[in-house]
Amino acid sequence: EEESGEEEEEEEAAGAGAVAAPLSMRSFAAGGGEVAADGVEVPSDGGEVSAVGDAQPPVDLEAEEKKRAAYGLCFAFQTGTCSRGARCRYAHLKGGFDAASGQGVAAPRAVGLQQGKAAPHVKGVVHCSARNQGKYDALFSLHEDFVAVVKRFFGLGDGFPDQQLVARAATGKSVVFLSAPLLAILLADRHTRLRLINTGVRVFEHCEDAALPFPFRLTQEGIPCLLPYMGPRQLIFASTSDMRKLLSDRVISGGALQPDIDAAAPGCVVVVHDPRADRSLDPGAPTPLCVTAVRTKSSPPSILLRLKLNETCSLLRRMPKG
C-alpha cells in the first residue's frame, strides 16, 4: 500500500509539471500524424518518428533524366511551386535551356521532341514551355550543318543572319525566319511566359522531290527574306515576255533564259522580273516581282513554276503587257 501511494504521488507530480502543447502545435500532418510541441511528427500508423524540417530524400537523378528526355523540365519546380513530388511526370532538375550556347533539354512530349523523334536538322529548343501541350508554337534551333547547306546552295553571304532561321516544330517540316528584335525578346523570355500563336515568315517547307538537292523547297513568301543576301547562281532574271510565258505555261526553257538556266544548280531558283535587263538587284529599291521555281535535272534543263494556280492568276493580272 505504501509503495502504491508513492507511485500515485509521483504520477500526480509528473502531471502537474507537464505543460500541454498548444492546439496549433497539435495540428495533423497530411499523412494523419500528429505534430507534438517539440516539432516532432508522430505518425498515426506507428511508423518511425522524424523531425519536421528534415532534408528531403535524395533525388533519383537517373529517373529524373528519363523524365527530362521524355517530357522536359517541370516549370513549377523551377519556381518552387510544384507539390507533386516524385509523382510529377516532368523532371525535377534545376536549370533550363540556354539558347545562346545551343545546349538545352528536351521539350514536352506534346510538341514531339522525344528521344529519337526530332528531325536530324533540329538541334534544340529556342522557346518552349514545359507546360506547352501543343496549343502554342514552339521554336527550335537548327543544326549548323543544315544551315551551311542552305547558305552554300543559295549563295548566302556572311551577312545573312542564319541564327534567325528556326523550326516551328521538333519535326522541322517548316523553317521560319524571325526578325532580330523578336528573336531577342524570345531569348530574354527565360521562363517562357510568352505564348506564341503564329510566329515568323515561312521560308522553307519540307518536300520530298528528286529534283531538290535537299528535301526542302523555298516558299513564295520567304523570297524577300533571302533575296537581299542571295548570290547570282540561283537567280534567273526574266524579261516581261518571259515572265508572262512562265506564269501562263508554268514551264519555260530555251531562249534568252537558257544561259542562266544552265548556270543554275538543280533545285530551287528565284525568277526575278527584270524589264530593263539590268540583271542586278538594287538594294535601295523595292523588292521586284519574284516567283519561286525549280530548275530540273533534265537535258536540256528547264524551269518549273512552283506556285498555286490562284497565285499564278493573280500575278498574271498584275503583270504589264508585252
Side-chain angles (χ1 to χ4, degrees):
E1 292 179 358
E2 292 180 358
E3 292 179 359
S4 61
E6 291 177 358
E7 291 177 357
E8 291 178 358
E9 291 178 359
E10 291 176 359
E11 291 177 356
E12 290 176 0
V19 179
L23 182 62
S24 61
M25 296 299 291
R26 297 199 301 269
S27 59
F28 287 90
E34 187 179 357
V35 179
D38 56 357
V40 176
E41 182 182 346
V42 182
S44 61
D45 56 358
E48 295 182 358
V49 177
S50 60
V52 175
D54 280 353
Q56 297 296 324
V59 177
D60 187 349
L61 294 179
E62 183 178 356
E64 297 301 327
E65 287 292 345
K66 291 180 180 179
K67 289 183 182 180
R68 181 171 68 170
Y71 301 101
L73 291 179
C74 177
F75 178 83
F77 178 77
Q78 303 296 313
T79 58
T81 58
C82 183
S83 59
R84 300 184 185 92
R87 296 180 292 106
C88 183
R89 71 168 60 185
Y90 302 107
H92 281 195
L93 297 172
K94 286 293 185 180
F97 177 77
D98 185 358
S101 64
Q103 298 178 352
V105 298
R109 177 179 61 175
V111 294
L113 191 55
Q114 298 183 49
Q115 188 174 6
K117 294 291 183 70
H121 60 282
V122 174
K123 181 177 181 180
V125 182
V126 171
H127 190 276
C128 179
S129 169
R131 296 183 294 179
N132 187 354
Q133 300 299 320
K135 185 176 180 180
Y136 305 101
D137 266 359
L139 301 180
F140 301 83
S141 60
L142 303 173
H143 272 290
E144 293 82 359
D145 294 343
F146 174 79
V147 176
V149 170
V150 171
K151 294 179 66 175
R152 183 167 57 250
F153 180 79
F154 289 100
L156 304 176
D158 295 334
F160 177 71
D162 51 70
Q163 71 277 3
Q164 294 172 222
L165 284 177
V166 297
R168 194 174 281 174
T171 54
K173 292 184 177 180
S174 292
V175 176
V176 301
F177 186 84
L178 304 179
S179 64
L182 176 58
L183 180 61
I185 291 174
L186 295 180
L187 293 180
D189 184 26
R190 303 303 296 269
H191 298 290
T192 58
R193 291 190 172 93
L194 296 177
R195 299 293 182 261
L196 309 180
I197 304 300
N198 194 3
T199 314
V201 178
R202 191 166 52 96
V203 178
F204 296 106
E205 189 175 64
H206 188 266
C207 179
E208 294 292 346
D209 192 331
L212 302 178
F214 53 97
F216 283 86
R217 69 174 185 87
L218 177 64
T219 64
Q220 181 67 22
E221 60 265 36
I223 291 177
C225 299
L226 298 188
L227 190 62
Y229 307 96
M230 285 184 63
R233 188 184 67 167
Q234 298 304 109
L235 293 178
I236 308 293
F237 293 96
S239 63
T240 301
S241 59
D242 287 335
M243 181 65 83
R244 290 188 64 88
K245 178 177 176 56
L246 176 61
L247 294 174
S248 301
D249 301 342
R250 303 186 65 83
V251 61
I252 190 172
S253 62
L257 294 182
Q258 197 59 46
D260 287 347
I261 297 175
D262 294 337
C268 289
V269 296
V270 176
V271 183
V272 183
H273 183 218
D274 187 22
R276 298 183 297 181
D278 294 333
R279 299 187 58 78
S280 63
L281 297 172
D282 185 359
T287 303
L289 175 63
C290 301
V291 294
T292 179
V294 171
R295 189 265 200 191
T296 65
K297 295 180 179 179
S298 59
S299 181
S302 59
I303 295 296
L304 300 178
L305 190 63
R306 286 300 180 91
L307 280 182
K308 296 180 179 179
L309 184 60
N310 58 346
E311 295 181 9
T312 304
C313 294
S314 175
L315 291 177
L316 267 175
R317 286 193 295 267
R318 292 160 52 191
M319 284 288 299
K321 301 293 183 181

